[in-house]
Structures are given as structure tokens and as C-alpha cells.
Short mmCIF file of all heavy atoms in Angstrom, two decimals:
data_model
loop_
_atom_site.label_atom_id
_atom_site.label_comp_id
_atom_site.label_asym_id
_atom_site.label_seq_id
_atom_site.Cartn_x
_atom_site.Cartn_y
_atom_site.Cartn_z
N GLY A 22 -6.47 6.91 7.39
CA GLY A 22 -5.85 6.29 6.23
C GLY A 22 -4.67 7.05 5.67
O GLY A 22 -3.61 6.46 5.44
N PRO A 23 -4.81 8.38 5.42
CA PRO A 23 -3.70 9.11 4.81
C PRO A 23 -2.40 9.04 5.61
O PRO A 23 -1.31 9.00 5.03
CB PRO A 23 -4.24 10.54 4.74
CG PRO A 23 -5.73 10.36 4.62
CD PRO A 23 -6.05 9.19 5.48
N SER A 24 -2.49 9.00 6.94
CA SER A 24 -1.27 8.92 7.75
C SER A 24 -0.91 7.48 8.14
O SER A 24 0.08 7.25 8.85
CB SER A 24 -1.42 9.77 9.01
OG SER A 24 -2.45 9.26 9.84
N LYS A 25 -1.73 6.53 7.70
CA LYS A 25 -1.50 5.10 7.97
C LYS A 25 -1.40 4.83 9.47
O LYS A 25 -0.48 4.15 9.96
CB LYS A 25 -0.24 4.60 7.25
CG LYS A 25 -0.31 4.80 5.73
CD LYS A 25 0.94 4.30 5.04
CE LYS A 25 0.86 4.53 3.53
NZ LYS A 25 2.09 4.12 2.83
N TYR A 26 -2.40 5.31 10.19
CA TYR A 26 -2.39 5.22 11.65
C TYR A 26 -3.62 4.45 12.11
O TYR A 26 -4.76 4.91 11.93
CB TYR A 26 -2.38 6.63 12.24
CG TYR A 26 -2.34 6.68 13.75
CD1 TYR A 26 -1.33 6.03 14.47
CD2 TYR A 26 -3.31 7.38 14.46
CE1 TYR A 26 -1.28 6.08 15.85
CE2 TYR A 26 -3.27 7.44 15.86
CZ TYR A 26 -2.27 6.78 16.55
OH TYR A 26 -2.23 6.84 17.91
N TYR A 27 -3.38 3.26 12.70
CA TYR A 27 -4.46 2.37 13.13
C TYR A 27 -4.14 1.91 14.56
O TYR A 27 -3.67 0.79 14.78
CB TYR A 27 -4.58 1.17 12.18
CG TYR A 27 -4.76 1.61 10.74
CD1 TYR A 27 -3.65 1.85 9.93
CD2 TYR A 27 -6.02 1.81 10.21
CE1 TYR A 27 -3.80 2.29 8.63
CE2 TYR A 27 -6.18 2.25 8.89
CZ TYR A 27 -5.07 2.49 8.11
OH TYR A 27 -5.24 2.93 6.82
N PRO A 28 -4.38 2.75 15.55
CA PRO A 28 -3.94 2.46 16.92
C PRO A 28 -4.60 1.25 17.54
O PRO A 28 -4.04 0.66 18.49
CB PRO A 28 -4.29 3.74 17.68
CG PRO A 28 -5.37 4.39 16.86
CD PRO A 28 -5.06 4.06 15.44
N ALA A 29 -5.77 0.85 17.07
CA ALA A 29 -6.46 -0.29 17.68
C ALA A 29 -5.84 -1.62 17.28
O ALA A 29 -6.19 -2.66 17.85
CB ALA A 29 -7.95 -0.27 17.31
N VAL A 30 -4.90 -1.62 16.31
CA VAL A 30 -4.27 -2.90 15.93
C VAL A 30 -3.08 -3.26 16.85
O VAL A 30 -3.12 -4.35 17.47
CB VAL A 30 -3.88 -2.89 14.44
CG1 VAL A 30 -3.20 -4.22 14.07
CG2 VAL A 30 -5.11 -2.68 13.55
N PRO A 31 -1.98 -2.49 16.97
CA PRO A 31 -1.71 -1.22 16.28
C PRO A 31 -0.84 -1.41 15.02
O PRO A 31 0.04 -2.27 14.98
CB PRO A 31 -0.94 -0.44 17.34
CG PRO A 31 -0.17 -1.51 18.08
CD PRO A 31 -1.01 -2.74 18.05
N TYR A 32 -1.12 -0.55 14.03
CA TYR A 32 -0.27 -0.37 12.86
C TYR A 32 0.05 1.11 12.75
O TYR A 32 -0.78 1.97 13.11
CB TYR A 32 -0.98 -0.77 11.56
CG TYR A 32 -1.18 -2.25 11.32
CD1 TYR A 32 -2.37 -2.70 10.75
CD2 TYR A 32 -0.20 -3.19 11.60
CE1 TYR A 32 -2.59 -4.05 10.49
CE2 TYR A 32 -0.41 -4.55 11.35
CZ TYR A 32 -1.60 -4.97 10.80
OH TYR A 32 -1.81 -6.30 10.54
N ASN A 33 1.23 1.41 12.21
CA ASN A 33 1.56 2.78 11.85
C ASN A 33 2.24 2.76 10.49
O ASN A 33 2.32 1.71 9.84
CB ASN A 33 2.44 3.44 12.93
CG ASN A 33 3.76 2.71 13.14
OD1 ASN A 33 4.43 2.33 12.19
ND2 ASN A 33 4.13 2.50 14.40
N VAL A 34 2.74 3.90 10.06
CA VAL A 34 3.28 4.03 8.71
C VAL A 34 4.39 3.03 8.42
O VAL A 34 4.60 2.62 7.26
CB VAL A 34 3.77 5.49 8.48
CG1 VAL A 34 4.95 5.81 9.39
CG2 VAL A 34 4.09 5.73 7.02
N ASP A 35 5.10 2.59 9.47
CA ASP A 35 6.22 1.66 9.26
C ASP A 35 5.78 0.26 8.83
O ASP A 35 6.61 -0.54 8.39
CB ASP A 35 7.04 1.53 10.55
CG ASP A 35 7.70 2.84 10.95
OD1 ASP A 35 8.00 3.65 10.04
OD2 ASP A 35 7.91 3.05 12.16
N HIS A 36 4.49 -0.06 8.95
CA HIS A 36 4.00 -1.41 8.67
C HIS A 36 3.40 -1.55 7.26
O HIS A 36 2.82 -2.58 6.94
CB HIS A 36 2.96 -1.81 9.71
CG HIS A 36 3.50 -1.79 11.11
ND1 HIS A 36 2.98 -1.01 12.11
CD2 HIS A 36 4.58 -2.44 11.65
CE1 HIS A 36 3.68 -1.18 13.21
NE2 HIS A 36 4.64 -2.04 12.96
N PHE A 37 3.60 -0.53 6.44
CA PHE A 37 3.02 -0.52 5.10
C PHE A 37 4.11 -0.30 4.06
O PHE A 37 5.19 0.23 4.35
CB PHE A 37 1.99 0.61 4.98
CG PHE A 37 0.80 0.42 5.90
CD1 PHE A 37 0.85 0.87 7.21
CD2 PHE A 37 -0.34 -0.22 5.46
CE1 PHE A 37 -0.24 0.70 8.07
CE2 PHE A 37 -1.43 -0.40 6.30
CZ PHE A 37 -1.37 0.06 7.61
N HIS A 38 3.80 -0.74 2.83
CA HIS A 38 4.68 -0.42 1.72
C HIS A 38 4.63 1.08 1.43
O HIS A 38 3.64 1.74 1.76
CB HIS A 38 4.26 -1.20 0.46
CG HIS A 38 4.48 -2.67 0.57
ND1 HIS A 38 3.48 -3.59 0.39
CD2 HIS A 38 5.61 -3.39 0.85
CE1 HIS A 38 3.96 -4.82 0.55
NE2 HIS A 38 5.25 -4.72 0.83
N THR A 39 5.68 1.58 0.81
CA THR A 39 5.71 2.99 0.43
C THR A 39 4.54 3.29 -0.50
O THR A 39 4.24 2.52 -1.41
CB THR A 39 7.04 3.32 -0.27
OG1 THR A 39 8.12 2.98 0.62
CG2 THR A 39 7.11 4.79 -0.63
N SER A 40 3.89 4.41 -0.25
CA SER A 40 2.70 4.75 -1.05
C SER A 40 3.05 4.91 -2.53
O SER A 40 4.03 5.58 -2.89
CB SER A 40 2.08 6.06 -0.54
OG SER A 40 1.51 5.88 0.73
N CYS A 41 2.25 4.26 -3.36
CA CYS A 41 2.35 4.41 -4.81
C CYS A 41 1.04 3.93 -5.42
O CYS A 41 0.44 2.96 -4.94
CB CYS A 41 3.54 3.64 -5.40
SG CYS A 41 3.57 1.87 -4.99
N PRO A 42 0.54 4.61 -6.45
CA PRO A 42 -0.70 4.17 -7.08
C PRO A 42 -0.44 3.04 -8.07
O PRO A 42 0.68 2.89 -8.58
CB PRO A 42 -1.17 5.43 -7.81
CG PRO A 42 0.11 6.13 -8.18
CD PRO A 42 1.06 5.86 -7.03
N ILE A 43 -1.46 2.22 -8.32
CA ILE A 43 -1.37 1.24 -9.41
C ILE A 43 -1.79 1.94 -10.68
O ILE A 43 -2.97 2.25 -10.89
CB ILE A 43 -2.27 0.01 -9.14
CG1 ILE A 43 -1.86 -0.68 -7.83
CG2 ILE A 43 -2.16 -0.98 -10.31
CD1 ILE A 43 -2.75 -1.85 -7.46
N GLU A 44 -0.82 2.24 -11.51
CA GLU A 44 -1.09 2.93 -12.77
C GLU A 44 -1.00 2.00 -13.97
O GLU A 44 -1.71 2.16 -14.96
CB GLU A 44 -0.10 4.10 -12.94
CG GLU A 44 -0.26 5.17 -11.85
CD GLU A 44 0.73 6.30 -12.01
OE1 GLU A 44 1.88 6.04 -12.46
OE2 GLU A 44 0.37 7.45 -11.68
N ASN A 45 -0.14 1.02 -13.86
CA ASN A 45 0.06 0.06 -14.95
C ASN A 45 -0.36 -1.32 -14.47
O ASN A 45 0.36 -1.95 -13.69
CB ASN A 45 1.52 0.06 -15.39
CG ASN A 45 1.79 -0.93 -16.51
OD1 ASN A 45 0.88 -1.58 -17.02
ND2 ASN A 45 3.05 -1.05 -16.90
N TRP A 46 -1.51 -1.80 -14.93
CA TRP A 46 -2.04 -3.08 -14.46
C TRP A 46 -1.33 -4.27 -15.12
O TRP A 46 -1.70 -5.41 -14.90
CB TRP A 46 -3.55 -3.16 -14.69
CG TRP A 46 -4.27 -2.30 -13.70
CD1 TRP A 46 -4.52 -0.96 -13.79
CD2 TRP A 46 -4.79 -2.72 -12.43
NE1 TRP A 46 -5.16 -0.52 -12.65
CE2 TRP A 46 -5.36 -1.57 -11.81
CE3 TRP A 46 -4.84 -3.94 -11.76
CZ2 TRP A 46 -5.95 -1.62 -10.56
CZ3 TRP A 46 -5.44 -3.99 -10.51
CH2 TRP A 46 -5.99 -2.85 -9.91
N GLN A 47 -0.30 -3.99 -15.90
CA GLN A 47 0.56 -5.05 -16.42
C GLN A 47 1.93 -5.04 -15.74
O GLN A 47 2.85 -5.72 -16.18
CB GLN A 47 0.73 -4.91 -17.94
CG GLN A 47 -0.53 -5.23 -18.72
CD GLN A 47 -1.03 -6.65 -18.45
OE1 GLN A 47 -0.27 -7.61 -18.49
NE2 GLN A 47 -2.33 -6.80 -18.20
N ASP A 48 2.03 -4.28 -14.66
CA ASP A 48 3.26 -4.21 -13.90
C ASP A 48 3.08 -5.01 -12.61
O ASP A 48 2.35 -4.61 -11.71
CB ASP A 48 3.59 -2.74 -13.57
CG ASP A 48 4.95 -2.58 -12.90
OD1 ASP A 48 5.26 -3.37 -11.98
OD2 ASP A 48 5.70 -1.66 -13.27
N GLU A 49 3.77 -6.15 -12.53
CA GLU A 49 3.62 -7.05 -11.40
C GLU A 49 3.99 -6.36 -10.08
O GLU A 49 3.32 -6.56 -9.06
CB GLU A 49 4.48 -8.29 -11.60
CG GLU A 49 4.39 -9.31 -10.47
CD GLU A 49 5.26 -10.52 -10.72
OE1 GLU A 49 5.75 -10.69 -11.85
OE2 GLU A 49 5.47 -11.30 -9.77
N TYR A 50 5.03 -5.55 -10.10
CA TYR A 50 5.44 -4.88 -8.87
C TYR A 50 4.34 -3.95 -8.37
O TYR A 50 4.00 -3.96 -7.17
CB TYR A 50 6.73 -4.08 -9.09
CG TYR A 50 7.17 -3.36 -7.83
CD1 TYR A 50 7.97 -4.00 -6.89
CD2 TYR A 50 6.75 -2.05 -7.57
CE1 TYR A 50 8.35 -3.34 -5.71
CE2 TYR A 50 7.12 -1.39 -6.40
CZ TYR A 50 7.92 -2.05 -5.48
OH TYR A 50 8.27 -1.40 -4.31
N GLU A 51 3.79 -3.13 -9.25
CA GLU A 51 2.75 -2.20 -8.83
C GLU A 51 1.54 -2.94 -8.28
O GLU A 51 0.95 -2.53 -7.27
CB GLU A 51 2.33 -1.31 -10.00
CG GLU A 51 3.35 -0.26 -10.37
CD GLU A 51 2.81 0.74 -11.38
OE1 GLU A 51 1.58 0.77 -11.61
OE2 GLU A 51 3.62 1.50 -11.94
N ILE A 52 1.16 -4.02 -8.93
CA ILE A 52 -0.02 -4.77 -8.49
C ILE A 52 0.18 -5.33 -7.09
O ILE A 52 -0.74 -5.32 -6.27
CB ILE A 52 -0.34 -5.90 -9.50
CG1 ILE A 52 -0.84 -5.29 -10.82
CG2 ILE A 52 -1.37 -6.87 -8.92
CD1 ILE A 52 -0.96 -6.30 -11.93
N ARG A 53 1.36 -5.79 -6.78
CA ARG A 53 1.60 -6.47 -5.51
C ARG A 53 2.07 -5.55 -4.39
O ARG A 53 1.88 -5.87 -3.21
CB ARG A 53 2.62 -7.60 -5.70
CG ARG A 53 2.02 -8.81 -6.39
CD ARG A 53 3.04 -9.89 -6.62
NE ARG A 53 2.39 -11.17 -6.91
CZ ARG A 53 3.02 -12.22 -7.42
NH1 ARG A 53 4.31 -12.16 -7.68
NH2 ARG A 53 2.37 -13.36 -7.65
N TYR A 54 2.65 -4.41 -4.73
CA TYR A 54 3.26 -3.59 -3.69
C TYR A 54 2.73 -2.16 -3.63
O TYR A 54 3.06 -1.43 -2.69
CB TYR A 54 4.78 -3.55 -3.87
CG TYR A 54 5.40 -4.92 -3.73
CD1 TYR A 54 5.76 -5.67 -4.84
CD2 TYR A 54 5.61 -5.48 -2.47
CE1 TYR A 54 6.31 -6.93 -4.71
CE2 TYR A 54 6.17 -6.75 -2.33
CZ TYR A 54 6.51 -7.46 -3.45
OH TYR A 54 7.05 -8.72 -3.32
N CYS A 55 1.90 -1.76 -4.59
CA CYS A 55 1.30 -0.43 -4.54
C CYS A 55 -0.11 -0.52 -3.98
O CYS A 55 -0.56 -1.58 -3.58
CB CYS A 55 1.33 0.21 -5.93
SG CYS A 55 3.02 0.63 -6.48
N GLU A 56 -0.82 0.59 -3.97
CA GLU A 56 -2.06 0.70 -3.21
C GLU A 56 -3.29 0.49 -4.09
O GLU A 56 -3.54 1.25 -5.03
CB GLU A 56 -2.12 2.06 -2.52
CG GLU A 56 -1.03 2.20 -1.48
CD GLU A 56 -0.96 3.58 -0.85
OE1 GLU A 56 -1.48 4.53 -1.44
OE2 GLU A 56 -0.37 3.70 0.25
N LEU A 57 -4.04 -0.55 -3.77
CA LEU A 57 -5.27 -0.88 -4.49
C LEU A 57 -6.34 0.15 -4.14
O LEU A 57 -6.76 0.25 -2.98
CB LEU A 57 -5.73 -2.29 -4.10
CG LEU A 57 -7.04 -2.79 -4.70
CD1 LEU A 57 -6.92 -2.90 -6.22
CD2 LEU A 57 -7.43 -4.13 -4.10
N PHE A 58 -6.74 0.93 -5.13
CA PHE A 58 -7.74 1.99 -4.94
C PHE A 58 -7.36 2.91 -3.77
O PHE A 58 -8.22 3.40 -3.03
CB PHE A 58 -9.13 1.39 -4.71
CG PHE A 58 -9.58 0.48 -5.80
CD1 PHE A 58 -10.02 -0.81 -5.51
CD2 PHE A 58 -9.54 0.87 -7.14
CE1 PHE A 58 -10.42 -1.67 -6.52
CE2 PHE A 58 -9.95 0.02 -8.16
CZ PHE A 58 -10.38 -1.26 -7.84
N GLY A 59 -6.07 3.14 -3.61
CA GLY A 59 -5.60 4.08 -2.60
C GLY A 59 -5.54 3.54 -1.19
O GLY A 59 -5.23 4.28 -0.24
N ALA A 60 -5.80 2.24 -0.98
CA ALA A 60 -5.80 1.67 0.37
C ALA A 60 -4.37 1.35 0.81
O ALA A 60 -3.64 0.68 0.07
CB ALA A 60 -6.65 0.41 0.41
#
């Protein structure tokens, strides 16, 4: 997970949004483009 490496799909870091936590649950951008519980 931390390196965003899923070879059985395959996915790598290029297939994900830039890492960011959801800190403000009233921010539409964070909700849609940041990481839900770090995923």
C-alpha cells in the first residue's frame, strides 16, 4: 500500500491520485481525490 504497488492487477503509483489525507470533510476536493482512511 505505501508504495502503491499492485502487480497482480497491475497498478503502480502512476495510477493513483497524489497522496493526501481527508482532513476537512466539507472540502469536496479532499473527499473525492484524497485518501479515504489512508487507502
Side-chain angles (χ1 to χ4, degrees):
S24 64
K25 302 180 181 177
Y26 182 55
Y27 306 87
V30 179
Y32 287 141
N33 60 45
V34 65
D35 296 332
H36 300 121
F37 296 86
H38 292 124
T39 303
S40 291
C41 55
I43 301 177
E44 297 179 327
N45 179 4
W46 286 84
Q47 290 302 312
D48 186 315
E49 181 180 347
Y50 179 87
E51 287 189 13
I52 290 171
R53 284 178 164 166
Y54 297 100
C55 292
E56 295 175 340
L57 177 64
F58 304 127

